[in-house]
Amino acid sequence: KNVYGFVCGQHKAAGHVRYPNDVVFAKMLADIHRAVGPKLSIMDGITAMEGNGPSSGNPFDMKVMLFSADPVALDTVFCWLVDLDPALVPTNVQGEIAGIGRCTESMIDVVTLSDDGQEEHLTRDELFSRYGNAEFDVVRKGSVKSVLSLWSRIMNRVGRPVIDKSKCLKCGV
């Protein structure tokens, strides 16, 4: 999701209107990711944010830092840490479809360092028991479709209106 930072200025705000539902927005993020091609993704989960972000969440001490060359796997691992089905996160699903990364458990290898500096490979259950939080405040059901989202789907199928600028009176309607 951090690749949206590559969109600058007014284009960023316009993107939320142009891509008003979670699936279309996730596809757009996958397109940006393919165009930019970052090599490493980092998630600072020392203090994570619970709730409905980005501006109205509550800080929570997760005490983790996640690093991966696969951004989809990175987000998937965080989903595991907060007991969220990764398939409910559109960026995971669309990222895997776009070939950016994997959200399939058998394709992800979680490696951590032990206290003595040795690499440890953890299963999903071991990861959760060590670092997870089942009470983390996150929506654990499919996305709720807004009226704007439904209208956007209809308009994307029918086609968007085109303004003939030579005939436009600029009345605001």
Side-chain angles (χ1 to χ4, degrees):
K1 292 174 276 299
N2 284 337
V3 294
Y4 201 54
F6 287 108
V7 177
C8 60
Q10 296 173 337
H11 299 288
K12 188 175 286 186
H16 288 288
V17 174
R18 190 169 180 189
Y19 310 102
N21 70 57
D22 53 356
V23 174
V24 174
F25 196 82
K27 287 179 182 180
M28 177 269 303
L29 291 174
D31 289 342
I32 292 172
H33 196 282
R34 282 194 305 231
V36 175
K39 303 296 181 220
L40 180 66
S41 294
I42 302 170
M43 183 182 295
D44 177 355
I46 304 280
T47 301
M49 185 180 62
E50 292 184 299
N52 191 19
S55 60
S56 61
N58 298 310
F60 181 84
D61 290 332
M62 284 294 292
K63 300 176 183 146
V64 296
M65 288 286 292
L66 306 176
F67 304 84
S68 182
D70 179 337
V72 179
L74 181 96
D75 281 355
T76 297
V77 168
F78 191 80
C79 287
W80 295 345
L81 289 172
V82 297
D83 197 29
L84 174 65
D85 179 359
L88 294 177
V89 180
T91 51
N92 285 343
V93 175
Q94 296 304 319
E96 188 167 60
I97 290 169
I100 291 167
R102 302 282 184 203
C103 62
T104 306
E105 184 173 352
S106 63
M107 303 291 288
I108 297 173
D109 185 23
V110 177
V111 181
T112 188
L113 292 178
S114 65
D115 291 336
D116 62 358
Q118 299 298 312
E119 282 189 3
E120 286 184 82
H121 296 262
L122 301 179
T123 67
R124 180 178 176 172
D125 291 337
E126 291 168 334
L127 175 77
F128 185 80
S129 69
R130 213 178 275 187
Y131 305 106
N133 176 8
E135 302 303 316
F136 194 88
D137 181 17
V138 64
V139 177
R140 290 182 174 83
K141 55 187 170 193
S143 63
V144 177
K145 302 297 180 201
S146 67
V147 172
L148 180 60
S149 173
L150 294 172
W151 179 250
S152 173
R153 282 184 169 182
I154 292 167
M155 292 309 292
N156 283 332
R157 286 192 182 137
V158 174
R160 297 195 179 270
V162 176
I163 297 172
D164 182 343
K165 292 181 181 180
S166 67
K167 295 180 182 178
C168 180
L169 303 174
K170 297 184 181 171
C171 64
V173 178

Short mmCIF file of all heavy atoms in Angstrom, two decimals, residues 1-13 15-16 25 28-42 71:
data_model
loop_
_atom_site.label_atom_id
_atom_site.label_comp_id
_atom_site.label_asym_id
_atom_site.label_seq_id
_atom_site.Cartn_x
_atom_site.Cartn_y
_atom_site.Cartn_z
N LYS A 1 0.82 -1.20 0.00
CA LYS A 1 0.00 0.00 0.00
C LYS A 1 0.86 1.25 0.00
O LYS A 1 0.40 2.30 -0.41
CB LYS A 1 -0.94 -0.02 1.20
CG LYS A 1 -2.01 -1.12 1.10
CD LYS A 1 -2.85 -1.25 2.34
CE LYS A 1 -2.27 -2.09 3.42
NZ LYS A 1 -1.98 -3.46 3.19
N ASN A 2 2.09 1.14 0.45
CA ASN A 2 2.95 2.33 0.51
C ASN A 2 3.31 2.88 -0.86
O ASN A 2 3.73 4.02 -0.95
CB ASN A 2 4.22 2.03 1.31
CG ASN A 2 3.94 1.99 2.79
OD1 ASN A 2 2.97 2.57 3.27
ND2 ASN A 2 4.79 1.31 3.52
N VAL A 3 3.16 2.11 -1.93
CA VAL A 3 3.51 2.63 -3.25
C VAL A 3 2.61 3.78 -3.67
O VAL A 3 2.94 4.51 -4.59
CB VAL A 3 3.51 1.52 -4.34
CG1 VAL A 3 4.59 0.50 -4.09
CG2 VAL A 3 2.16 0.89 -4.50
N TYR A 4 1.48 3.97 -2.99
CA TYR A 4 0.62 5.11 -3.33
C TYR A 4 1.33 6.42 -3.05
O TYR A 4 0.97 7.46 -3.60
CB TYR A 4 -0.71 5.03 -2.57
CG TYR A 4 -1.81 5.84 -3.22
CD1 TYR A 4 -2.13 5.65 -4.56
CD2 TYR A 4 -2.50 6.82 -2.52
CE1 TYR A 4 -3.12 6.39 -5.18
CE2 TYR A 4 -3.50 7.57 -3.13
CZ TYR A 4 -3.80 7.35 -4.45
OH TYR A 4 -4.77 8.09 -5.07
N GLY A 5 2.38 6.38 -2.24
CA GLY A 5 3.20 7.56 -2.00
C GLY A 5 3.92 8.04 -3.25
O GLY A 5 4.37 9.19 -3.31
N PHE A 6 4.03 7.21 -4.26
CA PHE A 6 4.65 7.63 -5.52
C PHE A 6 3.72 8.53 -6.34
O PHE A 6 4.16 9.19 -7.27
CB PHE A 6 5.05 6.42 -6.37
CG PHE A 6 6.25 5.70 -5.82
CD1 PHE A 6 6.11 4.45 -5.23
CD2 PHE A 6 7.52 6.26 -5.88
CE1 PHE A 6 7.20 3.78 -4.72
CE2 PHE A 6 8.62 5.59 -5.37
CZ PHE A 6 8.46 4.35 -4.78
N VAL A 7 2.44 8.55 -6.00
CA VAL A 7 1.49 9.44 -6.65
C VAL A 7 1.61 10.79 -5.96
O VAL A 7 1.57 10.87 -4.73
CB VAL A 7 0.05 8.90 -6.54
CG1 VAL A 7 -0.94 9.86 -7.16
CG2 VAL A 7 -0.05 7.52 -7.18
N CYS A 8 1.75 11.84 -6.73
CA CYS A 8 2.01 13.13 -6.09
C CYS A 8 0.86 14.13 -6.26
O CYS A 8 0.02 13.99 -7.14
CB CYS A 8 3.31 13.73 -6.63
SG CYS A 8 3.29 14.01 -8.40
N GLY A 9 0.87 15.10 -5.36
CA GLY A 9 -0.02 16.25 -5.43
C GLY A 9 -1.49 15.92 -5.53
O GLY A 9 -1.99 15.02 -4.84
N GLN A 10 -2.18 16.66 -6.38
CA GLN A 10 -3.63 16.52 -6.53
C GLN A 10 -4.03 15.17 -7.10
O GLN A 10 -5.15 14.73 -6.91
CB GLN A 10 -4.17 17.63 -7.44
CG GLN A 10 -3.98 19.01 -6.87
CD GLN A 10 -4.35 20.09 -7.86
OE1 GLN A 10 -4.36 19.88 -9.06
NE2 GLN A 10 -4.67 21.27 -7.34
N HIS A 11 -3.11 14.51 -7.78
CA HIS A 11 -3.41 13.20 -8.35
C HIS A 11 -3.75 12.18 -7.26
O HIS A 11 -4.53 11.26 -7.47
CB HIS A 11 -2.25 12.69 -9.21
CG HIS A 11 -1.94 13.59 -10.36
ND1 HIS A 11 -2.74 13.70 -11.47
CD2 HIS A 11 -0.90 14.43 -10.56
CE1 HIS A 11 -2.22 14.56 -12.31
NE2 HIS A 11 -1.10 15.03 -11.79
N LYS A 12 -3.13 12.33 -6.10
CA LYS A 12 -3.36 11.39 -5.00
C LYS A 12 -4.81 11.48 -4.52
O LYS A 12 -5.48 10.47 -4.39
CB LYS A 12 -2.40 11.66 -3.85
CG LYS A 12 -2.46 10.59 -2.77
CD LYS A 12 -1.42 10.82 -1.71
CE LYS A 12 -0.07 10.45 -2.27
NZ LYS A 12 1.00 10.48 -1.29
N ALA A 13 -5.29 12.70 -4.28
CA ALA A 13 -6.68 12.87 -3.85
C ALA A 13 -7.65 12.43 -4.94
O ALA A 13 -8.67 11.79 -4.67
CB ALA A 13 -6.94 14.32 -3.46
N GLY A 15 -7.20 10.15 -7.09
CA GLY A 15 -7.19 8.69 -7.18
C GLY A 15 -8.24 8.04 -6.32
O GLY A 15 -8.82 7.02 -6.69
N HIS A 16 -8.52 8.63 -5.17
CA HIS A 16 -9.54 8.07 -4.28
C HIS A 16 -10.93 8.20 -4.89
O HIS A 16 -11.81 7.41 -4.59
CB HIS A 16 -9.48 8.73 -2.91
CG HIS A 16 -8.29 8.31 -2.11
ND1 HIS A 16 -8.17 7.05 -1.57
CD2 HIS A 16 -7.15 8.96 -1.80
CE1 HIS A 16 -7.01 6.95 -0.94
NE2 HIS A 16 -6.37 8.09 -1.06
N PHE A 25 -9.14 0.01 -6.39
CA PHE A 25 -8.00 0.71 -5.80
C PHE A 25 -6.81 -0.25 -5.66
O PHE A 25 -5.67 0.11 -5.96
CB PHE A 25 -8.40 1.31 -4.45
CG PHE A 25 -7.45 2.35 -3.95
CD1 PHE A 25 -7.54 3.66 -4.39
CD2 PHE A 25 -6.47 2.03 -3.02
CE1 PHE A 25 -6.66 4.63 -3.93
CE2 PHE A 25 -5.59 3.00 -2.55
CZ PHE A 25 -5.69 4.30 -3.01
N MET A 28 -5.14 -0.76 -8.95
CA MET A 28 -4.33 0.41 -9.29
C MET A 28 -3.01 0.38 -8.52
O MET A 28 -1.95 0.65 -9.08
CB MET A 28 -5.12 1.68 -8.98
CG MET A 28 -4.37 2.99 -9.22
SD MET A 28 -3.47 3.61 -7.78
CE MET A 28 -4.75 3.75 -6.57
N LEU A 29 -3.05 0.00 -7.24
CA LEU A 29 -1.82 -0.10 -6.46
C LEU A 29 -0.89 -1.16 -7.05
O LEU A 29 0.33 -0.97 -7.09
CB LEU A 29 -2.13 -0.42 -5.00
CG LEU A 29 -2.80 0.69 -4.20
CD1 LEU A 29 -3.17 0.18 -2.81
CD2 LEU A 29 -1.91 1.92 -4.10
N ALA A 30 -1.46 -2.26 -7.52
CA ALA A 30 -0.65 -3.31 -8.15
C ALA A 30 0.02 -2.76 -9.42
O ALA A 30 1.18 -3.05 -9.69
CB ALA A 30 -1.51 -4.52 -8.47
N ASP A 31 -0.71 -1.95 -10.18
CA ASP A 31 -0.13 -1.35 -11.38
C ASP A 31 1.03 -0.42 -11.04
O ASP A 31 2.07 -0.45 -11.70
CB ASP A 31 -1.20 -0.56 -12.16
CG ASP A 31 -2.22 -1.45 -12.83
OD1 ASP A 31 -1.95 -2.66 -13.00
OD2 ASP A 31 -3.30 -0.94 -13.20
N ILE A 32 0.85 0.40 -10.00
CA ILE A 32 1.94 1.29 -9.57
C ILE A 32 3.14 0.45 -9.14
O ILE A 32 4.28 0.75 -9.51
CB ILE A 32 1.50 2.21 -8.41
CG1 ILE A 32 0.45 3.22 -8.89
CG2 ILE A 32 2.70 2.93 -7.79
CD1 ILE A 32 -0.18 4.02 -7.77
N HIS A 33 2.88 -0.60 -8.39
CA HIS A 33 3.98 -1.44 -7.90
C HIS A 33 4.76 -2.05 -9.06
O HIS A 33 5.99 -2.07 -9.06
CB HIS A 33 3.45 -2.53 -6.99
CG HIS A 33 4.51 -3.17 -6.17
ND1 HIS A 33 5.38 -4.11 -6.67
CD2 HIS A 33 4.90 -2.96 -4.89
CE1 HIS A 33 6.23 -4.46 -5.74
NE2 HIS A 33 5.95 -3.78 -4.65
N ARG A 34 4.04 -2.53 -10.07
CA ARG A 34 4.74 -3.11 -11.24
C ARG A 34 5.55 -2.06 -11.97
O ARG A 34 6.64 -2.34 -12.46
CB ARG A 34 3.74 -3.77 -12.18
CG ARG A 34 3.29 -5.14 -11.68
CD ARG A 34 2.58 -5.89 -12.77
NE ARG A 34 1.48 -5.09 -13.29
CZ ARG A 34 0.23 -5.52 -13.43
NH1 ARG A 34 -0.08 -6.75 -13.12
NH2 ARG A 34 -0.70 -4.74 -13.91
N ALA A 35 5.02 -0.82 -12.05
CA ALA A 35 5.73 0.24 -12.77
C ALA A 35 6.99 0.69 -12.02
O ALA A 35 8.03 0.91 -12.62
CB ALA A 35 4.80 1.44 -12.98
N VAL A 36 6.91 0.80 -10.69
CA VAL A 36 8.03 1.30 -9.90
C VAL A 36 9.02 0.18 -9.58
O VAL A 36 10.22 0.38 -9.62
CB VAL A 36 7.51 1.97 -8.60
CG1 VAL A 36 8.66 2.39 -7.70
CG2 VAL A 36 6.64 3.17 -8.95
N GLY A 37 8.50 -0.98 -9.21
CA GLY A 37 9.35 -2.14 -8.93
C GLY A 37 10.24 -2.04 -7.72
O GLY A 37 11.44 -2.33 -7.81
N PRO A 38 9.71 -1.64 -6.54
CA PRO A 38 10.57 -1.62 -5.36
C PRO A 38 11.14 -3.00 -5.05
O PRO A 38 10.50 -4.01 -5.31
CB PRO A 38 9.65 -1.14 -4.23
CG PRO A 38 8.27 -1.25 -4.75
CD PRO A 38 8.33 -1.32 -6.24
N LYS A 39 12.34 -3.03 -4.51
CA LYS A 39 13.03 -4.30 -4.24
C LYS A 39 12.85 -4.79 -2.82
O LYS A 39 13.08 -5.96 -2.53
CB LYS A 39 14.52 -4.16 -4.54
CG LYS A 39 14.83 -3.71 -5.95
CD LYS A 39 14.38 -4.75 -6.96
CE LYS A 39 14.71 -4.30 -8.36
NZ LYS A 39 13.69 -4.59 -9.32
N LEU A 40 12.51 -3.90 -1.88
CA LEU A 40 12.36 -4.28 -0.48
C LEU A 40 11.19 -3.53 0.12
O LEU A 40 11.02 -2.34 -0.10
CB LEU A 40 13.64 -3.94 0.30
CG LEU A 40 13.64 -4.30 1.78
CD1 LEU A 40 13.59 -5.81 1.98
CD2 LEU A 40 14.86 -3.71 2.47
N SER A 41 10.38 -4.25 0.88
CA SER A 41 9.28 -3.64 1.62
C SER A 41 9.57 -3.77 3.10
O SER A 41 10.01 -4.82 3.57
CB SER A 41 7.96 -4.33 1.29
OG SER A 41 7.62 -4.11 -0.06
N ILE A 42 9.31 -2.69 3.82
CA ILE A 42 9.56 -2.66 5.26
C ILE A 42 8.28 -2.21 5.95
O ILE A 42 7.68 -1.22 5.56
CB ILE A 42 10.71 -1.69 5.61
CG1 ILE A 42 11.99 -2.10 4.88
CG2 ILE A 42 10.92 -1.63 7.12
CD1 ILE A 42 13.10 -1.08 4.96
N PRO A 71 6.14 -7.88 -1.13
CA PRO A 71 5.24 -7.03 -0.34
C PRO A 71 3.91 -7.71 0.00
O PRO A 71 3.32 -7.42 1.04
CB PRO A 71 5.01 -5.81 -1.23
CG PRO A 71 5.24 -6.32 -2.61
CD PRO A 71 6.30 -7.36 -2.49
#
